[in-house]
Amino acid sequence: MASTSVSRIVPASPDKVWSLIGGFDALPDWLPYIPESTALEGGRVRRLKNPEGEVIIERLVDFNETERQYSYAILQAPFPVNGYVSTLRVHAAPGRDDVAEVQWSGRFTPDNATEQEVVDLFTGIYADGLDALHATLAG
């Protein structure tokens, strides 16, 4: 099993960041790669589309409002992996209340790809996503 994790300090309080990204169906609010999200099964599943129209279906597997984190599994996607589970977390930055640290991590098993290829793929997705979040909050 492979894994990767990316963290960024963003220019908003943890509560403000969580209010933007903490909804499982909220990706289109801050992630340009996902312009469309449809909540299914009472909000426990999201059906996403990327700009190319490819469908990604994910299931919420853990949600903790107090800890400001949730985890999800990919059920269907155009990615060369199996067993994908990812977690999005918002932490307070030590000694600061005007910024937050956001961590996006995932673990997965490569499928018809090398471990390095899938680690690079998801590291890039997470980094681009957190850069977009930073830009949204700074704007």
Side-chain angles (χ1 to χ4, degrees), residues 28-94:
D29 295 341
W30 62 275
L31 188 60
Y33 180 70
I34 302 295
E36 184 181 323
S37 178
T38 304
L40 306 168
E41 296 184 24
R44 305 261 326 150
V45 172
R46 61 187 179 195
R47 182 180 189 276
L48 310 170
K49 280 192 181 176
N50 67 17
E52 292 77 37
E54 295 171 311
V55 173
I56 303 163
I57 299 176
E58 299 171 338
R59 175 176 296 281
L60 185 65
V61 294
D62 184 54
F63 183 88
N64 188 318
E65 182 80 29
T66 304
E67 296 291 321
R68 293 190 290 268
Q69 69 179 35
Y70 70 80
S71 297
Y72 61 94
I74 289 181
L75 304 179
Q76 173 189 326
F79 306 127
V81 295
N82 287 310
Y84 177 101
V85 176
S86 183
T87 300
L88 193 59
R89 293 182 174 96
V90 179
H91 301 284

